[in-house]
Amino acid sequence: MTIKPQPVKSHARITRATKPAVRPAPEVCAYPVRRFTVDEYHRMIDAGILGEDDRVELINGWIIATVPKNPPHEVTTRRTELQLREVIPEGWWLDIQKQITTSVSEPEPDFTVVVGNPDRYANRHPGYGDIALVVEVADTSVIFDQTTKRDLYAQTRLPIYWIVNIADRQVEVYADPGGPARKRLYRSTTIFVPGQQVPVVIDGRTVGQVPVSSLLPA
């Protein structure tokens, strides 16, 4: 199934997506390091080198630790789950903190809206073509989610990406990925603030509206 993104229209502040002028500088290691392929990452999991207690993701070939979730993040995650479950249509389901597979990464977003039913993914993680919406709840990880994760999801052609931004009390909606594969970006960015509602677009169709205030902690 090909998922066609629908441009996001609202009275919210809309800007065109560009790469941030300032990006966090990567730490430089004094010793030789190497990237891992998705297959190598899976083999480490199968061999027990990485287990369920290892909170890591494969991002652009690097195995990185995920940020511990604080109470505001946990509350926002529960709120977001409740709101999304209310509007997701039949034929789709909400996956929570589960991996998605790309060519060079295996991130673990807070939510993905996935086509079909769980049995369809008995032997693989969802990938491009299976996913209508990916959501990250961001507090201390907000810069990472606005840069590295955003670019990764755009390059993977995931049609719509939300950041529920706790620190700035807003929901950022990125849509319409386009451009050459290695330089692909979301061409539309919409910011929603308390008092506004975020349209939930699944397979090119708006299936509901979610109030921003219902997602963020009081």
Side-chain angles (χ1 to χ4, degrees):
M1 176 180 293
T2 300
I3 300 172
K4 297 181 180 179
Q6 174 176 302
V8 178
K9 297 180 181 180
S10 76
H11 297 295
R13 174 163 52 91
I14 300 177
T15 59
R16 287 294 159 188
T18 57
K19 286 186 177 293
V22 178
R23 281 179 173 271
E27 293 184 4
V28 178
C29 180
Y31 302 98
V33 295
R34 67 179 287 265
R35 285 185 166 95
F36 295 92
T37 67
V38 172
D39 185 59
E40 288 172 328
Y41 183 65
H42 288 172
R43 292 206 300 268
M44 283 188 278
I45 295 171
D46 293 340
I49 297 169
L50 296 173
E52 292 184 0
D53 294 334
D54 294 301
R55 304 303 299 164
V56 296
E57 298 175 294
L58 183 71
I59 303 295
N60 296 326
W62 302 110
I63 298 174
I64 64 170
T66 58
V67 176
K69 295 173 174 55
N70 58 25
H73 187 287
E74 291 176 347
V75 168
T76 305
T77 299
R78 287 194 292 271
R79 283 172 167 261
T80 302
E81 178 185 358
L82 290 172
Q83 292 298 318
L84 288 177
R85 287 198 186 280
E86 289 291 324
V87 298
I88 292 175
E90 185 177 355
W92 298 82
W93 59 287
L94 185 66
D95 214 351
I96 303 171
Q97 295 174 347
K98 297 293 177 60
Q99 297 94 334
I100 60 177
T101 300
T102 78
S103 60
V104 296
S105 302
E106 198 160 271
E108 188 177 303
D110 289 296
F111 301 101
T112 47
V113 177
V114 184
V115 71
N117 60 68
D119 290 341
R120 177 173 174 169
Y121 307 98
N123 298 309
R124 66 177 179 89
H125 297 305
Y128 166 72
D130 302 314
I131 297 169
L133 171 65
V134 61
V135 181
E136 296 282 6
V137 175
D139 190 0
T140 57
S141 67
V142 66
I143 298 299
F144 185 69
D145 291 335
Q146 289 172 330
T147 55
T148 302
K149 282 283 187 77
R150 182 203 64 179
D151 292 350
L152 169 61
Y153 294 145
Q155 289 160 13
T156 310
R157 292 182 293 172
L158 299 182
I160 301 177
Y161 169 42
W162 290 12
I163 299 176
V164 183
N165 184 335
I166 301 169
D168 295 318
R169 296 193 62 78
Q170 62 189 29
V171 177
E172 303 164 19
V173 175
Y174 301 89
D176 191 22
R182 292 181 177 272
K183 298 181 180 179
R184 188 177 292 121
L185 292 172
Y186 286 113
R187 293 176 290 193
S188 173
T189 302
T190 311
I191 307 298
F192 295 88
V193 297
Q196 297 177 323
Q197 298 195 41
V198 187
V200 181
V201 179
I202 305 296
D203 197 19
R205 181 170 62 94
T206 300
V207 297
Q209 304 275 338
V210 174
V212 174
S213 58
S214 70
L215 304 177
L216 297 169

